[in-house]
Amino acid sequence: SQLAEENSWALSVHEGESVTVNCSYKTSITALQWYRQKSGKGPAQLILIRSNEREKRNGRLRATLDTSSQSSSLSITATRCEDTAVYFCATDYGSSGNKLIFGIGTLLSVKP
Amino acid sequence: ETAVFQTPNYHVTQVGNEVSFNCKQTLGHDTMYWYKQDSKKLLKIMFSYNNKQLIVNETVPRRFSPQSSDKAHLNLRIKSVEPEDSAVYLCASSYRGRDTQYFGPGTRLLVL
């Protein structure tokens, strides 16, 4: 079963708008990661947020983590066409490491 | 900048054939992974190697076998492929099996 999953299959916005992708998970974690996968490429990490952190930023990206509700969000401001990709959240198995469980992914389309 | 290299990019074969995919990383990492990504973009870990030793072996058919010659290389062999093996196979690496994983571009396999 999926231990991490995004809450939307697909989102569509226009350039310049902001968008948020949500993720929920079902076990205790040491960290949650957000990855982006563009067409024909492998996933690339965007942000890693640890269980003792509530927010992390990376340029136009902002990730939040709520361990009480076991959820995370990734917000993108001032979206660009090149932000079009599949966004995944991924969690570890707590202290076991060596294995990431990826969510089902959210396809974000940014239109001109 | 690509630091995890996979060959081939694309492979078409027939049911029952044997295929082999190569992966090399130049990041100096000690842990490497194979993931399978299906047509719905679902990403699942198959194997993980740390310093040439198998540390994660998810429930995959026995026809799949990873091969590691050194910590920079992790190949994947599939004996007698089946139609359900059609997918993108992604190789990744990390340091000490934790946190950020760096992915290659993937090998797309089509089994006819």
PDB file of all heavy atoms in Angstrom, chain A residues 2 33 35 37 40-43 45 48 50 88 94-95 97-100 102 104, chain B residues 33 35 37 41-43 45 48 55-56 58 90 97-101 103-105:
ATOM      1  N   GLN A   2       0.348   2.326  -0.517  1.00  0.00           N
ATOM      2  CA  GLN A   2       1.095   3.564  -0.596  1.00  0.00           C
ATOM      3  C   GLN A   2       1.211   4.188   0.780  1.00  0.00           C
ATOM      4  O   GLN A   2       0.241   4.339   1.506  1.00  0.00           O
ATOM      5  CB  GLN A   2       0.369   4.549  -1.541  1.00  0.00           C
ATOM      6  CG  GLN A   2       0.383   4.124  -2.979  1.00  0.00           C
ATOM      7  CD  GLN A   2       1.775   4.204  -3.570  1.00  0.00           C
ATOM      8  OE1 GLN A   2       2.543   5.093  -3.226  1.00  0.00           O
ATOM      9  NE2 GLN A   2       2.113   3.277  -4.431  1.00  0.00           N
ATOM     10  N   GLN A  33      10.348  14.303   1.313  1.00  0.00           N
ATOM     11  CA  GLN A  33      10.991  14.955   0.183  1.00  0.00           C
ATOM     12  C   GLN A  33       9.975  15.231  -0.924  1.00  0.00           C
ATOM     13  O   GLN A  33       9.040  14.459  -1.111  1.00  0.00           O
ATOM     14  CB  GLN A  33      12.110  14.054  -0.376  1.00  0.00           C
ATOM     15  CG  GLN A  33      13.157  13.688   0.645  1.00  0.00           C
ATOM     16  CD  GLN A  33      14.265  12.857   0.064  1.00  0.00           C
ATOM     17  OE1 GLN A  33      14.791  13.148  -1.013  1.00  0.00           O
ATOM     18  NE2 GLN A  33      14.638  11.790   0.764  1.00  0.00           N
ATOM     19  N   TYR A  35       9.886  15.747  -5.033  1.00  0.00           N
ATOM     20  CA  TYR A  35      10.619  15.566  -6.271  1.00  0.00           C
ATOM     21  C   TYR A  35       9.773  16.068  -7.434  1.00  0.00           C
ATOM     22  O   TYR A  35       8.543  16.056  -7.381  1.00  0.00           O
ATOM     23  CB  TYR A  35      10.947  14.083  -6.513  1.00  0.00           C
ATOM     24  CG  TYR A  35      12.078  13.544  -5.665  1.00  0.00           C
ATOM     25  CD1 TYR A  35      11.871  13.184  -4.342  1.00  0.00           C
ATOM     26  CD2 TYR A  35      13.362  13.389  -6.209  1.00  0.00           C
ATOM     27  CE1 TYR A  35      12.904  12.689  -3.565  1.00  0.00           C
ATOM     28  CE2 TYR A  35      14.404  12.889  -5.434  1.00  0.00           C
ATOM     29  CZ  TYR A  35      14.165  12.545  -4.127  1.00  0.00           C
ATOM     30  OH  TYR A  35      15.200  12.057  -3.367  1.00  0.00           O
ATOM     31  N   GLN A  37       9.467  15.539 -11.708  1.00  0.00           N
ATOM     32  CA  GLN A  37       9.909  14.767 -12.862  1.00  0.00           C
ATOM     33  C   GLN A  37       9.355  15.398 -14.132  1.00  0.00           C
ATOM     34  O   GLN A  37       8.144  15.403 -14.359  1.00  0.00           O
ATOM     35  CB  GLN A  37       9.445  13.303 -12.772  1.00  0.00           C
ATOM     36  CG  GLN A  37       9.968  12.438 -13.901  1.00  0.00           C
ATOM     37  CD  GLN A  37       9.575  10.983 -13.745  1.00  0.00           C
ATOM     38  OE1 GLN A  37       8.594  10.663 -13.074  1.00  0.00           O
ATOM     39  NE2 GLN A  37      10.337  10.079 -14.356  1.00  0.00           N
ATOM     40  N   GLY A  40      10.416  12.719 -19.867  1.00  0.00           N
ATOM     41  CA  GLY A  40      11.612  12.101 -20.413  1.00  0.00           C
ATOM     42  C   GLY A  40      12.821  12.147 -19.497  1.00  0.00           C
ATOM     43  O   GLY A  40      13.919  11.734 -19.901  1.00  0.00           O
ATOM     44  N   LYS A  41      12.647  12.630 -18.283  1.00  0.00           N
ATOM     45  CA  LYS A  41      13.752  12.740 -17.332  1.00  0.00           C
ATOM     46  C   LYS A  41      13.454  11.930 -16.086  1.00  0.00           C
ATOM     47  O   LYS A  41      12.325  11.509 -15.846  1.00  0.00           O
ATOM     48  CB  LYS A  41      13.967  14.204 -16.927  1.00  0.00           C
ATOM     49  CG  LYS A  41      14.129  15.167 -18.070  1.00  0.00           C
ATOM     50  CD  LYS A  41      15.488  15.063 -18.699  1.00  0.00           C
ATOM     51  CE  LYS A  41      15.696  16.148 -19.737  1.00  0.00           C
ATOM     52  NZ  LYS A  41      17.014  16.021 -20.398  1.00  0.00           N
ATOM     53  N   GLY A  42      14.495  11.732 -15.274  1.00  0.00           N
ATOM     54  CA  GLY A  42      14.272  11.121 -13.980  1.00  0.00           C
ATOM     55  C   GLY A  42      13.837  12.173 -12.974  1.00  0.00           C
ATOM     56  O   GLY A  42      13.996  13.374 -13.199  1.00  0.00           O
ATOM     57  N   PRO A  43      13.266  11.744 -11.838  1.00  0.00           N
ATOM     58  CA  PRO A  43      12.879  12.716 -10.800  1.00  0.00           C
ATOM     59  C   PRO A  43      14.098  13.455 -10.255  1.00  0.00           C
ATOM     60  O   PRO A  43      15.198  12.907 -10.200  1.00  0.00           O
ATOM     61  CB  PRO A  43      12.265  11.824  -9.714  1.00  0.00           C
ATOM     62  CG  PRO A  43      11.865  10.564 -10.418  1.00  0.00           C
ATOM     63  CD  PRO A  43      12.896  10.372 -11.484  1.00  0.00           C
ATOM     64  N   GLN A  45      15.155  16.041  -6.918  1.00  0.00           N
ATOM     65  CA  GLN A  45      14.678  16.549  -5.636  1.00  0.00           C
ATOM     66  C   GLN A  45      14.550  18.067  -5.666  1.00  0.00           C
ATOM     67  O   GLN A  45      15.418  18.784  -6.171  1.00  0.00           O
ATOM     68  CB  GLN A  45      15.630  16.150  -4.512  1.00  0.00           C
ATOM     69  CG  GLN A  45      15.057  16.430  -3.127  1.00  0.00           C
ATOM     70  CD  GLN A  45      16.134  16.488  -2.070  1.00  0.00           C
ATOM     71  OE1 GLN A  45      16.995  17.360  -2.074  1.00  0.00           O
ATOM     72  NE2 GLN A  45      16.094  15.548  -1.152  1.00  0.00           N
ATOM     73  N   LEU A  48      13.820  18.916   0.735  1.00  0.00           N
ATOM     74  CA  LEU A  48      13.768  17.904   1.785  1.00  0.00           C
ATOM     75  C   LEU A  48      13.421  18.626   3.074  1.00  0.00           C
ATOM     76  O   LEU A  48      14.092  19.584   3.448  1.00  0.00           O
ATOM     77  CB  LEU A  48      15.108  17.191   1.913  1.00  0.00           C
ATOM     78  CG  LEU A  48      15.201  16.046   2.943  1.00  0.00           C
ATOM     79  CD1 LEU A  48      16.259  15.052   2.504  1.00  0.00           C
ATOM     80  CD2 LEU A  48      15.504  16.565   4.344  1.00  0.00           C
ATOM     81  N   ARG A  50      12.666  17.961   7.154  1.00  0.00           N
ATOM     82  CA  ARG A  50      12.800  16.966   8.204  1.00  0.00           C
ATOM     83  C   ARG A  50      11.630  17.054   9.182  1.00  0.00           C
ATOM     84  O   ARG A  50      10.929  18.060   9.248  1.00  0.00           O
ATOM     85  CB  ARG A  50      14.136  17.149   8.938  1.00  0.00           C
ATOM     86  CG  ARG A  50      15.317  16.987   7.991  1.00  0.00           C
ATOM     87  CD  ARG A  50      16.627  16.752   8.683  1.00  0.00           C
ATOM     88  NE  ARG A  50      17.715  16.710   7.717  1.00  0.00           N
ATOM     89  CZ  ARG A  50      18.030  15.629   7.007  1.00  0.00           C
ATOM     90  NH1 ARG A  50      17.348  14.522   7.163  1.00  0.00           N
ATOM     91  NH2 ARG A  50      19.037  15.659   6.154  1.00  0.00           N
ATOM     92  N   PHE A  88       6.122  14.621  -7.021  1.00  0.00           N
ATOM     93  CA  PHE A  88       5.985  13.511  -6.092  1.00  0.00           C
ATOM     94  C   PHE A  88       6.401  13.941  -4.692  1.00  0.00           C
ATOM     95  O   PHE A  88       7.371  14.673  -4.534  1.00  0.00           O
ATOM     96  CB  PHE A  88       6.922  12.353  -6.478  1.00  0.00           C
ATOM     97  CG  PHE A  88       6.643  11.691  -7.783  1.00  0.00           C
ATOM     98  CD1 PHE A  88       7.317  12.087  -8.933  1.00  0.00           C
ATOM     99  CD2 PHE A  88       5.734  10.648  -7.863  1.00  0.00           C
ATOM    100  CE1 PHE A  88       7.087  11.458 -10.136  1.00  0.00           C
ATOM    101  CE2 PHE A  88       5.494  10.008  -9.073  1.00  0.00           C
ATOM    102  CZ  PHE A  88       6.175  10.419 -10.211  1.00  0.00           C
ATOM    103  N   GLY A  94      11.165   5.901   8.382  1.00  0.00           N
ATOM    104  CA  GLY A  94      11.640   6.256   9.705  1.00  0.00           C
ATOM    105  C   GLY A  94      13.124   6.012   9.789  1.00  0.00           C
ATOM    106  O   GLY A  94      13.890   6.439   8.948  1.00  0.00           O
ATOM    107  N   SER A  95      13.572   5.286  10.743  1.00  0.00           N
ATOM    108  CA  SER A  95      14.997   5.123  10.956  1.00  0.00           C
ATOM    109  C   SER A  95      15.630   4.084  10.050  1.00  0.00           C
ATOM    110  O   SER A  95      16.845   3.940  10.010  1.00  0.00           O
ATOM    111  CB  SER A  95      15.260   4.714  12.412  1.00  0.00           C
ATOM    112  OG  SER A  95      14.595   3.495  12.692  1.00  0.00           O
ATOM    113  N   GLY A  97      15.832   3.870   6.789  1.00  0.00           N
ATOM    114  CA  GLY A  97      16.566   4.451   5.668  1.00  0.00           C
ATOM    115  C   GLY A  97      16.590   3.552   4.451  1.00  0.00           C
ATOM    116  O   GLY A  97      15.891   2.569   4.367  1.00  0.00           O
ATOM    117  N   ASN A  98      17.394   3.903   3.466  1.00  0.00           N
ATOM    118  CA  ASN A  98      17.625   3.097   2.278  1.00  0.00           C
ATOM    119  C   ASN A  98      16.409   2.839   1.420  1.00  0.00           C
ATOM    120  O   ASN A  98      16.508   2.130   0.446  1.00  0.00           O
ATOM    121  CB  ASN A  98      18.255   1.738   2.643  1.00  0.00           C
ATOM    122  CG  ASN A  98      19.623   1.918   3.252  1.00  0.00           C
ATOM    123  OD1 ASN A  98      20.426   2.696   2.755  1.00  0.00           O
ATOM    124  ND2 ASN A  98      19.884   1.226   4.331  1.00  0.00           N
ATOM    125  N   LYS A  99      15.278   3.329   1.782  1.00  0.00           N
ATOM    126  CA  LYS A  99      14.106   3.052   0.965  1.00  0.00           C
ATOM    127  C   LYS A  99      13.163   4.241   1.029  1.00  0.00           C
ATOM    128  O   LYS A  99      12.717   4.647   2.095  1.00  0.00           O
ATOM    129  CB  LYS A  99      13.404   1.805   1.495  1.00  0.00           C
ATOM    130  CG  LYS A  99      12.341   1.281   0.560  1.00  0.00           C
ATOM    131  CD  LYS A  99      12.130  -0.214   0.720  1.00  0.00           C
ATOM    132  CE  LYS A  99      11.384  -0.583   1.961  1.00  0.00           C
ATOM    133  NZ  LYS A  99      10.985  -2.004   1.923  1.00  0.00           N
ATOM    134  N   LEU A 100      12.878   4.800  -0.126  1.00  0.00           N
ATOM    135  CA  LEU A 100      11.907   5.875  -0.221  1.00  0.00           C
ATOM    136  C   LEU A 100      10.623   5.318  -0.806  1.00  0.00           C
ATOM    137  O   LEU A 100      10.655   4.547  -1.762  1.00  0.00           O
ATOM    138  CB  LEU A 100      12.400   6.999  -1.128  1.00  0.00           C
ATOM    139  CG  LEU A 100      13.432   7.984  -0.581  1.00  0.00           C
ATOM    140  CD1 LEU A 100      13.758   9.036  -1.625  1.00  0.00           C
ATOM    141  CD2 LEU A 100      12.929   8.640   0.694  1.00  0.00           C
ATOM    142  N   PHE A 102       7.409   6.552  -2.732  1.00  0.00           N
ATOM    143  CA  PHE A 102       6.924   7.701  -3.491  1.00  0.00           C
ATOM    144  C   PHE A 102       5.409   7.693  -3.563  1.00  0.00           C
ATOM    145  O   PHE A 102       4.772   6.642  -3.646  1.00  0.00           O
ATOM    146  CB  PHE A 102       7.489   7.667  -4.916  1.00  0.00           C
ATOM    147  CG  PHE A 102       8.909   8.136  -5.014  1.00  0.00           C
ATOM    148  CD1 PHE A 102       9.954   7.307  -4.651  1.00  0.00           C
ATOM    149  CD2 PHE A 102       9.203   9.410  -5.461  1.00  0.00           C
ATOM    150  CE1 PHE A 102      11.278   7.740  -4.719  1.00  0.00           C
ATOM    151  CE2 PHE A 102      10.508   9.864  -5.553  1.00  0.00           C
ATOM    152  CZ  PHE A 102      11.551   9.023  -5.176  1.00  0.00           C
ATOM    153  N   ILE A 104       1.814   8.838  -5.560  1.00  0.00           N
ATOM    154  CA  ILE A 104       1.374   8.516  -6.913  1.00  0.00           C
ATOM    155  C   ILE A 104       1.674   9.620  -7.902  1.00  0.00           C
ATOM    156  O   ILE A 104       1.619   9.402  -9.107  1.00  0.00           O
ATOM    157  CB  ILE A 104      -0.136   8.203  -6.935  1.00  0.00           C
ATOM    158  CG1 ILE A 104      -0.937   9.402  -6.418  1.00  0.00           C
ATOM    159  CG2 ILE A 104      -0.425   6.946  -6.137  1.00  0.00           C
ATOM    160  CD1 ILE A 104      -2.436   9.227  -6.528  1.00  0.00           C
TER     161      ILE A 104
ATOM    162  N   TYR B  33      20.177   2.335  -6.505  1.00  0.00           N
ATOM    163  CA  TYR B  33      18.814   1.812  -6.489  1.00  0.00           C
ATOM    164  C   TYR B  33      18.321   1.552  -7.908  1.00  0.00           C
ATOM    165  O   TYR B  33      18.735   2.220  -8.857  1.00  0.00           O
ATOM    166  CB  TYR B  33      17.856   2.833  -5.865  1.00  0.00           C
ATOM    167  CG  TYR B  33      18.295   3.456  -4.575  1.00  0.00           C
ATOM    168  CD1 TYR B  33      19.205   4.507  -4.569  1.00  0.00           C
ATOM    169  CD2 TYR B  33      17.786   3.015  -3.351  1.00  0.00           C
ATOM    170  CE1 TYR B  33      19.611   5.106  -3.382  1.00  0.00           C
ATOM    171  CE2 TYR B  33      18.179   3.609  -2.158  1.00  0.00           C
ATOM    172  CZ  TYR B  33      19.095   4.650  -2.184  1.00  0.00           C
ATOM    173  OH  TYR B  33      19.495   5.240  -1.009  1.00  0.00           O
ATOM    174  N   TYR B  35      14.440   1.453  -9.643  1.00  0.00           N
ATOM    175  CA  TYR B  35      13.012   1.677  -9.501  1.00  0.00           C
ATOM    176  C   TYR B  35      12.324   1.285 -10.802  1.00  0.00           C
ATOM    177  O   TYR B  35      12.896   1.398 -11.886  1.00  0.00           O
ATOM    178  CB  TYR B  35      12.705   3.161  -9.249  1.00  0.00           C
ATOM    179  CG  TYR B  35      13.070   3.684  -7.888  1.00  0.00           C
ATOM    180  CD1 TYR B  35      14.358   4.124  -7.605  1.00  0.00           C
ATOM    181  CD2 TYR B  35      12.110   3.781  -6.883  1.00  0.00           C
ATOM    182  CE1 TYR B  35      14.686   4.631  -6.359  1.00  0.00           C
ATOM    183  CE2 TYR B  35      12.420   4.293  -5.630  1.00  0.00           C
ATOM    184  CZ  TYR B  35      13.714   4.708  -5.379  1.00  0.00           C
ATOM    185  OH  TYR B  35      14.030   5.217  -4.151  1.00  0.00           O
ATOM    186  N   GLN B  37       8.930   2.336 -12.991  1.00  0.00           N
ATOM    187  CA  GLN B  37       7.867   3.331 -13.120  1.00  0.00           C
ATOM    188  C   GLN B  37       6.904   2.882 -14.206  1.00  0.00           C
ATOM    189  O   GLN B  37       7.294   2.722 -15.355  1.00  0.00           O
ATOM    190  CB  GLN B  37       8.442   4.710 -13.447  1.00  0.00           C
ATOM    191  CG  GLN B  37       7.375   5.809 -13.439  1.00  0.00           C
ATOM    192  CD  GLN B  37       7.962   7.196 -13.519  1.00  0.00           C
ATOM    193  OE1 GLN B  37       8.900   7.445 -14.274  1.00  0.00           O
ATOM    194  NE2 GLN B  37       7.440   8.118 -12.729  1.00  0.00           N
ATOM    195  N   LYS B  41       2.896   6.470 -14.018  1.00  0.00           N
ATOM    196  CA  LYS B  41       3.941   7.215 -13.318  1.00  0.00           C
ATOM    197  C   LYS B  41       4.173   6.727 -11.896  1.00  0.00           C
ATOM    198  O   LYS B  41       4.915   7.368 -11.150  1.00  0.00           O
ATOM    199  CB  LYS B  41       3.637   8.732 -13.284  1.00  0.00           C
ATOM    200  CG  LYS B  41       3.587   9.354 -14.651  1.00  0.00           C
ATOM    201  CD  LYS B  41       4.957   9.326 -15.309  1.00  0.00           C
ATOM    202  CE  LYS B  41       4.961  10.091 -16.620  1.00  0.00           C
ATOM    203  NZ  LYS B  41       6.271  10.031 -17.279  1.00  0.00           N
ATOM    204  N   LEU B  42       3.569   5.618 -11.517  1.00  0.00           N
ATOM    205  CA  LEU B  42       3.793   5.079 -10.192  1.00  0.00           C
ATOM    206  C   LEU B  42       5.221   4.567 -10.100  1.00  0.00           C
ATOM    207  O   LEU B  42       5.665   3.772 -10.928  1.00  0.00           O
ATOM    208  CB  LEU B  42       2.802   3.960  -9.913  1.00  0.00           C
ATOM    209  CG  LEU B  42       2.682   3.480  -8.485  1.00  0.00           C
ATOM    210  CD1 LEU B  42       2.232   4.608  -7.573  1.00  0.00           C
ATOM    211  CD2 LEU B  42       1.713   2.311  -8.395  1.00  0.00           C
ATOM    212  N   LEU B  43       5.919   5.020  -9.065  1.00  0.00           N
ATOM    213  CA  LEU B  43       7.346   4.727  -8.917  1.00  0.00           C
ATOM    214  C   LEU B  43       7.538   3.784  -7.735  1.00  0.00           C
ATOM    215  O   LEU B  43       7.200   4.131  -6.601  1.00  0.00           O
ATOM    216  CB  LEU B  43       8.067   6.048  -8.668  1.00  0.00           C
ATOM    217  CG  LEU B  43       9.565   6.154  -8.867  1.00  0.00           C
ATOM    218  CD1 LEU B  43       9.934   5.856 -10.292  1.00  0.00           C
ATOM    219  CD2 LEU B  43      10.018   7.547  -8.484  1.00  0.00           C
ATOM    220  N   ILE B  45      10.307   1.086  -5.697  1.00  0.00           N
ATOM    221  CA  ILE B  45      11.670   0.599  -5.570  1.00  0.00           C
ATOM    222  C   ILE B  45      11.712  -0.905  -5.796  1.00  0.00           C
ATOM    223  O   ILE B  45      10.798  -1.634  -5.407  1.00  0.00           O
ATOM    224  CB  ILE B  45      12.269   0.965  -4.193  1.00  0.00           C
ATOM    225  CG1 ILE B  45      13.759   0.654  -4.171  1.00  0.00           C
ATOM    226  CG2 ILE B  45      11.511   0.267  -3.073  1.00  0.00           C
ATOM    227  CD1 ILE B  45      14.509   1.249  -3.025  1.00  0.00           C
ATOM    228  N   SER B  48      18.088  -2.153  -3.782  1.00  0.00           N
ATOM    229  CA  SER B  48      19.026  -1.157  -3.316  1.00  0.00           C
ATOM    230  C   SER B  48      20.325  -1.846  -2.948  1.00  0.00           C
ATOM    231  O   SER B  48      20.314  -2.894  -2.298  1.00  0.00           O
ATOM    232  CB  SER B  48      18.447  -0.414  -2.107  1.00  0.00           C
ATOM    233  OG  SER B  48      19.416   0.425  -1.536  1.00  0.00           O
ATOM    234  N   ILE B  55      20.890  -4.544  -0.075  1.00  0.00           N
ATOM    235  CA  ILE B  55      20.316  -4.216   1.222  1.00  0.00           C
ATOM    236  C   ILE B  55      18.800  -4.100   1.175  1.00  0.00           C
ATOM    237  O   ILE B  55      18.142  -4.185   2.196  1.00  0.00           O
ATOM    238  CB  ILE B  55      20.908  -2.912   1.801  1.00  0.00           C
ATOM    239  CG1 ILE B  55      20.820  -1.757   0.785  1.00  0.00           C
ATOM    240  CG2 ILE B  55      22.349  -3.115   2.221  1.00  0.00           C
ATOM    241  CD1 ILE B  55      21.241  -0.425   1.364  1.00  0.00           C
ATOM    242  N   VAL B  56      18.256  -3.884   0.012  1.00  0.00           N
ATOM    243  CA  VAL B  56      16.806  -3.841  -0.144  1.00  0.00           C
ATOM    244  C   VAL B  56      16.448  -4.693  -1.344  1.00  0.00           C
ATOM    245  O   VAL B  56      17.024  -4.526  -2.412  1.00  0.00           O
ATOM    246  CB  VAL B  56      16.278  -2.406  -0.354  1.00  0.00           C
ATOM    247  CG1 VAL B  56      14.799  -2.420  -0.739  1.00  0.00           C
ATOM    248  CG2 VAL B  56      16.482  -1.585   0.910  1.00  0.00           C
ATOM    249  N   GLU B  58      12.856  -5.681  -2.783  1.00  0.00           N
ATOM    250  CA  GLU B  58      11.409  -5.727  -2.704  1.00  0.00           C
ATOM    251  C   GLU B  58      10.896  -6.984  -3.406  1.00  0.00           C
ATOM    252  O   GLU B  58      11.640  -7.691  -4.071  1.00  0.00           O
ATOM    253  CB  GLU B  58      10.809  -4.476  -3.349  1.00  0.00           C
ATOM    254  CG  GLU B  58      11.058  -3.218  -2.551  1.00  0.00           C
ATOM    255  CD  GLU B  58      10.407  -3.254  -1.187  1.00  0.00           C
ATOM    256  OE1 GLU B  58       9.166  -3.146  -1.102  1.00  0.00           O
ATOM    257  OE2 GLU B  58      11.140  -3.384  -0.189  1.00  0.00           O
ATOM    258  N   LEU B  90      14.283   3.145 -13.659  1.00  0.00           N
ATOM    259  CA  LEU B  90      15.083   4.289 -13.214  1.00  0.00           C
ATOM    260  C   LEU B  90      16.127   3.847 -12.210  1.00  0.00           C
ATOM    261  O   LEU B  90      15.838   3.121 -11.261  1.00  0.00           O
ATOM    262  CB  LEU B  90      14.183   5.343 -12.568  1.00  0.00           C
ATOM    263  CG  LEU B  90      13.265   6.099 -13.535  1.00  0.00           C
ATOM    264  CD1 LEU B  90      12.074   6.665 -12.803  1.00  0.00           C
ATOM    265  CD2 LEU B  90      14.030   7.222 -14.221  1.00  0.00           C
ATOM    266  N   GLY B  97      22.808   5.837   1.744  1.00  0.00           N
ATOM    267  CA  GLY B  97      21.448   5.309   1.697  1.00  0.00           C
ATOM    268  C   GLY B  97      20.382   6.204   2.287  1.00  0.00           C
ATOM    269  O   GLY B  97      19.297   5.758   2.611  1.00  0.00           O
ATOM    270  N   ARG B  98      20.682   7.472   2.425  1.00  0.00           N
ATOM    271  CA  ARG B  98      19.690   8.353   3.037  1.00  0.00           C
ATOM    272  C   ARG B  98      19.442   9.588   2.203  1.00  0.00           C
ATOM    273  O   ARG B  98      20.202   9.946   1.357  1.00  0.00           O
ATOM    274  CB  ARG B  98      20.189   8.792   4.420  1.00  0.00           C
ATOM    275  CG  ARG B  98      20.037   7.730   5.458  1.00  0.00           C
ATOM    276  CD  ARG B  98      20.335   8.296   6.844  1.00  0.00           C
ATOM    277  NE  ARG B  98      20.021   7.337   7.872  1.00  0.00           N
ATOM    278  CZ  ARG B  98      18.828   7.193   8.407  1.00  0.00           C
ATOM    279  NH1 ARG B  98      17.842   7.946   7.998  1.00  0.00           N
ATOM    280  NH2 ARG B  98      18.604   6.308   9.347  1.00  0.00           N
ATOM    281  N   ASP B  99      18.359  10.205   2.514  1.00  0.00           N
ATOM    282  CA  ASP B  99      18.031  11.515   2.006  1.00  0.00           C
ATOM    283  C   ASP B  99      18.006  11.593   0.485  1.00  0.00           C
ATOM    284  O   ASP B  99      17.448  10.752  -0.177  1.00  0.00           O
ATOM    285  CB  ASP B  99      18.961  12.560   2.627  1.00  0.00           C
ATOM    286  CG  ASP B  99      18.783  12.670   4.133  1.00  0.00           C
ATOM    287  OD1 ASP B  99      17.758  12.166   4.645  1.00  0.00           O
ATOM    288  OD2 ASP B  99      19.648  13.230   4.800  1.00  0.00           O
ATOM    289  N   THR B 100      18.649  12.575  -0.050  1.00  0.00           N
ATOM    290  CA  THR B 100      18.495  12.883  -1.464  1.00  0.00           C
ATOM    291  C   THR B 100      18.973  11.758  -2.358  1.00  0.00           C
ATOM    292  O   THR B 100      20.089  11.258  -2.205  1.00  0.00           O
ATOM    293  CB  THR B 100      19.277  14.160  -1.812  1.00  0.00           C
ATOM    294  OG1 THR B 100      18.866  15.205  -0.947  1.00  0.00           O
ATOM    295  CG2 THR B 100      19.037  14.556  -3.257  1.00  0.00           C
ATOM    296  N   GLN B 101      18.124  11.387  -3.278  1.00  0.00           N
ATOM    297  CA  GLN B 101      18.500  10.417  -4.302  1.00  0.00           C
ATOM    298  C   GLN B 101      18.586  11.130  -5.645  1.00  0.00           C
ATOM    299  O   GLN B 101      17.758  11.975  -5.964  1.00  0.00           O
ATOM    300  CB  GLN B 101      17.481   9.276  -4.355  1.00  0.00           C
ATOM    301  CG  GLN B 101      17.489   8.445  -3.074  1.00  0.00           C
ATOM    302  CD  GLN B 101      16.624   7.206  -3.164  1.00  0.00           C
ATOM    303  OE1 GLN B 101      16.195   6.805  -4.239  1.00  0.00           O
ATOM    304  NE2 GLN B 101      16.379   6.582  -2.020  1.00  0.00           N
ATOM    305  N   PHE B 103      18.610  10.671  -9.661  1.00  0.00           N
ATOM    306  CA  PHE B 103      18.102   9.728 -10.640  1.00  0.00           C
ATOM    307  C   PHE B 103      18.743   9.905 -12.005  1.00  0.00           C
ATOM    308  O   PHE B 103      19.077  11.016 -12.420  1.00  0.00           O
ATOM    309  CB  PHE B 103      16.586   9.896 -10.794  1.00  0.00           C
ATOM    310  CG  PHE B 103      15.791   9.328  -9.659  1.00  0.00           C
ATOM    311  CD1 PHE B 103      15.645  10.046  -8.484  1.00  0.00           C
ATOM    312  CD2 PHE B 103      15.203   8.077  -9.757  1.00  0.00           C
ATOM    313  CE1 PHE B 103      14.907   9.516  -7.421  1.00  0.00           C
ATOM    314  CE2 PHE B 103      14.474   7.547  -8.712  1.00  0.00           C
ATOM    315  CZ  PHE B 103      14.319   8.266  -7.542  1.00  0.00           C
ATOM    316  N   GLY B 104      18.853   8.784 -12.701  1.00  0.00           N
ATOM    317  CA  GLY B 104      19.212   8.825 -14.101  1.00  0.00           C
ATOM    318  C   GLY B 104      17.973   9.111 -14.940  1.00  0.00           C
ATOM    319  O   GLY B 104      16.870   9.217 -14.409  1.00  0.00           O
ATOM    320  N   PRO B 105      18.143   9.223 -16.251  1.00  0.00           N
ATOM    321  CA  PRO B 105      17.022   9.557 -17.127  1.00  0.00           C
ATOM    322  C   PRO B 105      16.076   8.390 -17.386  1.00  0.00           C
ATOM    323  O   PRO B 105      14.981   8.593 -17.911  1.00  0.00           O
ATOM    324  CB  PRO B 105      17.711   9.994 -18.420  1.00  0.00           C
ATOM    325  CG  PRO B 105      19.008   9.246 -18.402  1.00  0.00           C
ATOM    326  CD  PRO B 105      19.419   9.164 -16.965  1.00  0.00           C
TER     327      PRO B 105
END
